[in-house]
Amino acid sequence: MHYKKNGWLRVLALMSVLALAFASFGAGAAPLTAALALDVKGKIAKTNDADHSEFHFSEAQLLALPAHSISTSTTWTAKSTFTGPLLADILKTVGAYGDQIEIHTLDDYTYTVPVSDTSRYGVIVAYSMNGKRLQVSDFGPLFLIYPRDQFPGELAGASADAKFVWQIKALIVK
Ligand SMILES: Nc1nc2c(c(=O)[nH]1)N[C@H]1C(S)=C(S)[C@@H](COP(=O)(O)O)O[C@H]1N2
Ligand SMILES: [Mo]
């Protein structure tokens, strides 16, 4: 190796690495796996933002909540194991006191589920499927999962499909 003689080569190599880094991130290219994040507002007792209006969960905060798994098929996926925090634990963390949860997504879909679903079905906000993080292109970063296979009468079918909200970015407690 001739690093000492060819110090400029190292500089050139470093510049190439930086150029690549800027090409992939600086140009605004979305990362394959979006960082986990979730904003919760509305009827909540705890906030953590500057103007005390919402509770922002960072990836670390979401991963710090106890992880629960549900194995089920959905209209879009064969039987798989979904993992993530309980919606109930997210609501508990923010001190939610409403009885409806309005869910907002990256694709601007909105759907409201009753808080009673959390105890009835043990609903989870899944960030992974079969051990792999959900990609934005594949229901990620967060996907509301109900145990459909365990409640075929109540959770299978067209009307229940609306509850399986993917690309979740925010919850509003009503
Ligand atoms: N993020 C997101 N989740 C969503 C939807 C959506 O448009 N965006 N549609 C919901 C509704 S109303 C139903 S019936 C199903 C629709 O699934 P489909 O688009 O495969 O018919 O997914 C639900 N989850
Ligand atoms: Mo729907």
Side-chain angles (χ1 to χ4, degrees):
M1 295 305 239
H2 303 282
Y3 285 143
K4 284 219 171 97
K5 263 195 229 164
N6 300 308
W8 60 273
L9 269 180
R10 303 170 72 189
V11 173
L12 208 64
L14 182 65
M15 283 171 68
S16 312
V17 169
L18 286 174
L20 277 172
F22 279 104
S24 47
F25 297 108
L32 288 177
T33 307
L36 298 178
L38 179 69
D39 290 328
V40 187
K41 51 192 169 188
K43 292 184 172 176
I44 60 175
K46 287 180 214 158
T47 58
N48 65 1
D49 66 332
D51 62 357
H52 310 289
S53 65
E54 63 180 45
F55 193 105
H56 175 81
F57 284 90
S58 65
E59 171 153 339
Q61 284 168 307
L62 287 168
L63 294 176
L65 292 171
H68 289 255
S69 292
I70 290 177
S71 291
T72 188
S73 63
T74 73
T75 296
W76 311 272
T77 50
K79 190 175 170 86
S80 307
T81 299
F82 293 91
T83 303
L86 290 173
L87 177 56
D89 283 341
I90 289 173
L91 298 180
K92 199 166 125 191
T93 303
V94 302
Y97 53 86
D99 57 16
Q100 303 287 323
I101 309 298
E102 187 179 280
I103 306 165
H104 291 257
T105 72
L106 297 174
D107 61 338
D108 288 326
Y109 171 70
T110 302
Y111 191 73
T112 301
V113 300
V115 170
S116 58
D117 276 6
T118 63
S119 52
R120 179 164 183 79
Y121 303 118
V123 182
I124 65 171
V125 181
Y127 47 67
S128 75
M129 182 173 116
N130 297 329
K132 277 192 181 162
R133 208 55 90 71
L134 292 167
Q135 307 294 305
V136 172
S137 55
D138 232 356
F139 313 109
L142 297 168
F143 191 4
L144 195 70
I145 294 292
Y146 284 71
R148 187 180 92 141
D149 290 355
Q150 288 73 32
F151 295 86
E154 298 166 38
L155 296 176
S159 65
D161 274 352
K163 289 178 183 284
F164 290 76
V165 182
W166 57 82
Q167 294 186 343
I168 296 171
K169 67 175 181 198
L171 308 178
I172 303 177
V173 183
K174 300 264 176 166

